[in-house]
Amino acid sequence: MTPLLFQGQEWAASTPFPFFSNHAGELGQLVTEGRKKEFSYFSDFAQLAVPDPQARSTFESAKLDWTEKEDGEHARTLDLYRALLALRRDDPALHPHSRQSLSAGSEGEVLWVRQCNPAGERLLLWNVGEAAVRLGGLRLPHPPPPAWCCTPSRPAPRRAR
């Protein structure tokens, strides 16, 4: 499927992305009130202020810090996205973009996506937890294929552009 990356997601931007708008007069007031009403249905926001979509400060808070992508976890996350996009572009097993060849699930805190078609089989494992996970310790519904591995701590080499 087409990868959708939004507002610095490819480098795990620390900047929030609140809804903001710039409507004049009554429409602006209605948008502000509508946003407050929408958030009133969520108990987690009972004690929090809902950012006013019409406030300049709400817009300003969403501006990305583009220097983040050069260092630390942000740079490692960007390298991971680049490696995954290169795999998607270059690996023939990932070219038939059909939902029929995809399956997905989870095992504990490990999410998995499997693509299996005549061109090959690929398995993406993503540990969203804090603890390390042994591949052999996972109870997956299918055996893992022999794989090339890329992790944030060991990103794939960058390809020439």
Side-chain angles (χ1 to χ4, degrees):
M1 307 316 133
T2 301
L4 299 175
L5 302 175
F6 191 68
Q7 186 70 15
Q9 180 181 358
E10 67 275 24
W11 75 80
S14 63
T15 314
F17 192 68
F19 171 74
F20 55 85
S21 59
N22 185 22
H23 299 294
E26 184 182 356
L27 179 57
Q29 292 171 348
L30 289 171
V31 168
T32 295
E33 292 308 313
R35 196 69 172 168
K36 287 179 186 175
K37 183 178 179 182
E38 180 182 341
F39 274 79
S40 71
Y41 296 113
F42 300 100
S43 60
D44 289 351
F45 285 91
Q47 304 302 319
L48 299 174
V50 177
D52 180 357
Q54 288 289 113
R56 178 92 185 162
S57 59
T58 303
F59 168 74
E60 292 294 334
S61 75
K63 287 188 175 182
L64 291 173
D65 175 0
W66 289 87
T67 62
E68 279 185 333
K69 68 182 186 150
E70 307 299 328
D71 297 310
E73 279 303 310
H74 301 288
R76 285 189 288 281
T77 301
L78 182 57
D79 283 344
L80 176 62
Y81 270 94
R82 285 179 172 147
L84 292 173
L85 288 169
L87 276 174
R88 181 180 189 271
R89 180 190 64 228
D90 299 338
D91 187 336
L94 300 178
H95 286 185
H97 304 297
S98 166
R99 290 179 193 234
Q100 287 73 27
S101 64
L102 286 176
S103 58
S106 64
E107 165 62 25
E109 293 194 84
V110 175
L111 307 176
W112 60 267
V113 178
R114 179 179 184 236
Q115 174 134 346
C116 189
N117 58 54
E121 176 184 5
R122 298 296 179 264
L123 178 66
L124 170 68
L125 300 172
W126 183 11
N127 181 4
V128 296
E130 296 290 324
V133 176
R134 272 184 38 262
L135 181 59
L138 292 174
R139 293 184 313 259
L140 298 172
H142 39 73
W148 174 81
C149 181
C150 172
T151 66
S153 59
R154 291 180 309 208
R158 288 188 179 173
R159 297 180 55 90
R161 292 183 205 154

